[in-house]
Amino acid sequence: QVQLVESGGGLVQAGGSLRLSCAASGSVFSINAMDWYRQGPGKQRELVAGITAGGRTNYADSVKGRFTISRDNAKNTGYLQMNSLKPEDTAVYYCAADLALTSIGSRGWYWGQGTQVTVSS
């Protein structure tokens, strides 16, 4: 059974850092692409960062220069390093990944359950 699980959220002071993890498990061969989304209080869900299978990254303007998306292929895990956090970064953060499964030619788009990030002033 394939799962995608986020971890690493928590409560931090403004200016602090957190590193979110998104681990793929089950019959997963590799991660093709991964995105991080967030939904803050009273806000729409937004894409904050993405990484392609080829390693190209993109970021929302609001987090550019502060957040870094990466992956560890050996661990089938993606990360979102968040630095210089601001109160407006408070949100539930979700990962979504296009996964190549162990069955040849199989792939699927999976979402994690989310992890809460709260940034206090």
Side-chain angles (χ1 to χ4, degrees), residues 55-74:
R56 296 190 301 274
T57 60
N58 65 90
Y59 301 92
D61 289 341
S62 59
V63 307
K64 196 170 298 181
R66 299 187 297 119
F67 290 11
T68 303
I69 187 170
S70 63
R71 71 160 75 88
D72 185 332
N73 291 328

Side-chain angles (χ1 to χ4, degrees), residues 46-113:
E46 64 175 336
L47 177 66
V48 297
I51 185 168
T52 69
R56 296 190 301 274
T57 60
N58 65 90
Y59 301 92
D61 289 341
S62 59
V63 307
K64 196 170 298 181
R66 299 187 297 119
F67 290 11
T68 303
I69 187 170
S70 63
R71 71 160 75 88
D72 185 332
N73 291 328
K75 297 181 179 179
N76 280 338
T77 300
Y79 304 95
L80 184 67
Q81 178 67 46
M82 306 186 296
N83 298 326
S84 301
L85 284 163
K86 305 175 181 179
E88 51 263 43
D89 295 319
T90 294
V92 177
Y93 284 72
Y94 302 87
C95 66
D98 180 17
L99 303 177
L101 308 182
T102 54
S103 179
I104 296 175
S106 296
R107 67 192 295 175
W109 189 254
Y110 293 85
W111 289 264
Q113 297 301 305

Side-chain angles (χ1 to χ4, degrees), residues 10-16 18 82 84-91 93 116-121:
L11 174 63
V12 298
Q13 186 178 359
L18 284 174
M82 306 186 296
S84 301
L85 284 163
K86 305 175 181 179
E88 51 263 43
D89 295 319
T90 294
Y93 284 72
Q116 176 70 47
V117 172
T118 302
V119 184
S120 65
S121 59

Side-chain angles (χ1 to χ4, degrees), residues 9-60:
L11 174 63
V12 298
Q13 186 178 359
S17 298
L18 284 174
R19 189 194 195 198
L20 305 184
S21 297
C22 180
S25 63
S27 301
V28 177
F29 178 75
S30 64
I31 298 173
N32 292 322
M34 177 173 286
D35 296 332
W36 285 93
Y37 295 83
R38 70 183 181 188
Q39 186 164 22
K43 297 182 179 181
Q44 298 181 67
R45 190 165 178 161
E46 64 175 336
L47 177 66
V48 297
I51 185 168
T52 69
R56 296 190 301 274
T57 60
N58 65 90
Y59 301 92

